[in-house]
Amino acid sequence: MSIDFAALPSPCYIVDERLLTRNLEILDSVQQRTGCKILLALKGFSMHSVFPLVGKYLYGITSSSLHEARLGYEKMGKEVHAYAPAYVDHEFDELMSYCDHIVFNSFNQWNRYKDRVKNSGKSIECAIRINPEYSEGKTPIYDPCYKHSRLGVTLDSFRPEDLDGIDGLHFHTLCQQNSDTLKRTVQVVEEKFGEHLKKLKWLNMGGGHHITRADYDLDTLVETINYLKDKYDIQVYLEPGEAVALNTGFMVATVLDIVDNGMDIAILDTSAACHMPDVLEMPYRPDVIGAGEPGEFAHTYRFGGLTCLAGDVIGDYSFKEPLKIGDRVVFCDMAIYSMVKTNMFNGVNLPAIATYNEEDGIKVIRQFGFEDYSGRLS
Ligand SMILES: Cc1ncc(COP(=O)(O)O)c(C=O)c1O
C-alpha cells in the first residue's frame, strides 16, 4: 500500500513505520553478528511516538543535553547515554538521574564531575571522548577533527594518569560515511590510544555510520567491530542518528502561489529556514517525488518558502505537467535532522507529525499552533 499523501494536513512530516522497521532490522543484524550495542542518537531523530518500535531493536539512546536524556529515559526507558562538549553545573544531578553512561569531553570536565558521579548512588559508567585527529569529511562544520576543534581530547592532551574511574573511550569523527572510512579511522585510534583500550570496558564509535544506505558495506563494519572485540576484549557501541531513520520520512507541502521573476517560482506552505534548515546549512537539495533536475522535464520551478528571508529557497525542480496552486509536493528523507531542527522564525507554524503503518494507516500524531509559538517566547 502506498501512503495517500493527499489525506494529510499540510505541511506534515510522515514517517513510514515499514521503512523504519527495515532500517532497524539492518541495524539489528549488525548487533546479532557482532554483539555490539546500537543506540539512537536523539539529535538526529527524536520522534518519540515511534520510540517503542525503535526500542524493540536498539539498546537505548544517546543524548546531548538534559532534555534529550529525559526524553529517552521517559519515552524509551532503555539505556541512556550522554555526551556534551561541557555539562551545565545546575543540570548535572538531574542528568545523572537519567543516565547509564556519561562521556566527558575533557579531563577537566571528568575531574570536575567525577565525585558527583561516584556519590550519585547509581552505577554510571564514564568515558572520555578522544579526538584521533583523523577524519575524511569534506564539510568543515560537520568535521569534529578540524584544526583547533573543541571536540574530544587529542593525544597531546591525553592524561593517562587521570583514567582511574574511566570505563570507556568515545570517538565521533564520521559523517554519512561508509565502513571503509571507519576501518581507516580505527587504525589511527589504535595507533594513538590502543594501549589504553586494553584496560577499558568499552569503546563507543559515535555516529555518522550510514549503515542503512543501499551501498553500505556491512561486512567491513562487522569485521571491524569483531576485530576490536577480539583484540581488546571490549564492548563496542555505535550511536547513529541518521542511519536509524534514513529515507523513512517525508514532508508533504502545498503550493500557495506561483510567481514569475525570470523563471517560475512556486511558494510553498513550508520553508527551508524553518522546516528543513540543513538545506541551507549543509547545503543540499532534497529529492521531491515525481520531480527531476531543473530542465529535465518540461516545467521547471524554483521552490521557495513562506518566510521573508530572501534566501529561503529549497531548490529547483522540473515536472512533466505544470504545477497549480493547491498541488501537493512531497519531499523525501525528511525524518532525520529536519524534524528536530525546526524553528518558528516569522511565526511560521510547525509541520504536523504523522505515522503510517499497514494496520492503522495514517495517524496524525501532533498538530501545532499559536500556543507552541507563544510558549517558547515570553
Ligand atoms: C557525538 C555524536 N554521536 C552521534 C551523532 C549522530 O550522528 P549521525 O546522525 O550522523 O549518525 C553525532 C552527530 O553529530 C554526534 O555528534
Side-chain angles (χ1 to χ4, degrees), residues 41 43-44 62 83 129 170 172 176 206-209 239-243 337:
K43 69 190 81 190
T62 189
Y83 159 77
R129 176 169 173 168
H170 175 288
H172 170 78
Q176 301 186 332
H209 316 270
E239 47 178 39
E242 285 215 18
Y337 287 98

Side-chain angles (χ1 to χ4, degrees), residues 36 44 90 113-114 174 306:
C36 82
H90 67 265
Y113 288 113
K114 67 182 175 193
L174 275 66
L306 77 175

Side-chain angles (χ1 to χ4, degrees), residues 228-372:
L228 285 166
K229 217 175 72 172
D230 293 345
K231 181 159 176 190
Y232 296 101
D233 191 25
I234 43 170
Q235 173 68 51
V236 171
Y237 288 87
L238 302 176
E239 47 178 39
E242 285 215 18
V244 176
L246 188 67
N247 291 318
T248 66
F250 305 88
M251 188 176 62
V252 178
T254 302
V255 178
L256 298 180
D257 196 9
I258 299 174
V259 297
D260 182 358
N261 182 0
M263 71 181 293
D264 286 323
I265 303 158
I267 299 175
L268 308 181
D269 63 353
T270 182
S271 154
C274 298
H275 302 161
M276 40 181 114
D278 280 346
V279 164
L280 304 180
E281 194 177 291
M282 220 166 174
Y284 81 106
R285 173 186 171 277
D287 286 339
V288 168
I289 293 178
E293 294 298 319
E296 184 179 339
F297 300 123
H299 308 277
T300 294
Y301 299 85
R302 175 156 298 172
F303 281 178
L306 77 175
T307 71
C308 64
L309 178 74
D312 191 354
V313 167
I314 300 163
D316 294 353
Y317 300 87
S318 69
F319 294 84
K320 287 183 184 151
E321 302 296 329
L323 286 180
K324 304 180 301 301
I325 291 169
D327 279 353
R328 292 278 169 112
V329 291
V330 181
F331 293 92
C332 300
D333 202 16
M334 283 287 147
I336 45 175
Y337 287 98
S338 296
M339 208 191 294
V340 283
K341 289 176 97 171
T342 52
N343 64 76
M344 298 181 104
F345 176 54
N346 274 212
V348 169
N349 201 11
L350 299 173
I353 295 179
T355 53
Y356 178 86
N357 65 41
E358 293 281 4
E359 214 171 274
D360 305 322
I362 287 174
K363 231 169 41 183
V364 178
I365 293 166
R366 182 80 203 268
Q367 289 184 274
F368 299 89
F370 176 73
E371 297 308 323
D372 299 293

